[in-house]
Structure formats: structure tokens, C-alpha cells
Amino acid sequence: MSEKITCCEKCKIYWTCETKWYRSEMSEENICCTICNFYNECLKNMQKKPSVNP
């Protein structure tokens, strides 16, 4: 199972993102998507993290 990237406030459209607001109103997870200004950067950083196996 892959980790999910949640929306973060460093994105320029965080407070006005219609996708984020829609998901919030529908009680869905606040998952980052390609609309985010930092999506690709965050995705690369997530992939660089070593996975931890219990």
C-alpha cells in the first residue's frame, strides 16, 4: 500500500482549491492531486523516503 500525500498550506491555491473544498464537504480524505502547485515535488520527496517495515 502506498502512502498518500495530503494537501498542504504551502500550495498557492490551498485555500481556494475547489477539489479540496468539495472533498471536505463530502467527508472524503484531503488527498493532494495534480492541481496542487507542489504535487510533483511532494511526490518525488515521498518516493525518496525509505519505506519502514515493522
Side-chain angles (χ1 to χ4, degrees), residues 26-40:
M26 298 311 221
S27 299
E28 295 178 4
E29 286 186 275
N30 192 16
I31 302 300
C32 189
C33 63
T34 54
I35 297 169
C36 177
N37 299 120
F38 293 99
Y39 178 77
N40 290 328

Side-chain angles (χ1 to χ4, degrees), residues 15-52:
W15 297 107
T16 58
C17 180
E18 291 182 21
T19 302
K20 182 179 81 62
W21 287 105
Y22 173 81
R23 289 176 179 168
S24 177
E25 289 176 4
M26 298 311 221
S27 299
E28 295 178 4
E29 286 186 275
N30 192 16
I31 302 300
C32 189
C33 63
T34 54
I35 297 169
C36 177
N37 299 120
F38 293 99
Y39 178 77
N40 290 328
E41 179 183 328
C42 289
L43 187 61
K44 286 178 188 175
N45 289 337
M46 180 68 75
Q47 291 172 346
K48 288 180 183 177
K49 283 183 178 180
S51 60
V52 177

Side-chain angles (χ1 to χ4, degrees), residues 3-23:
E3 287 190 51
K4 297 176 185 172
I5 305 169
T6 56
C7 295
C8 61
E9 293 182 29
K10 70 179 182 177
C11 177
K12 294 176 185 175
I13 63 165
Y14 178 82
W15 297 107
T16 58
C17 180
E18 291 182 21
T19 302
K20 182 179 81 62
W21 287 105
Y22 173 81
R23 289 176 179 168

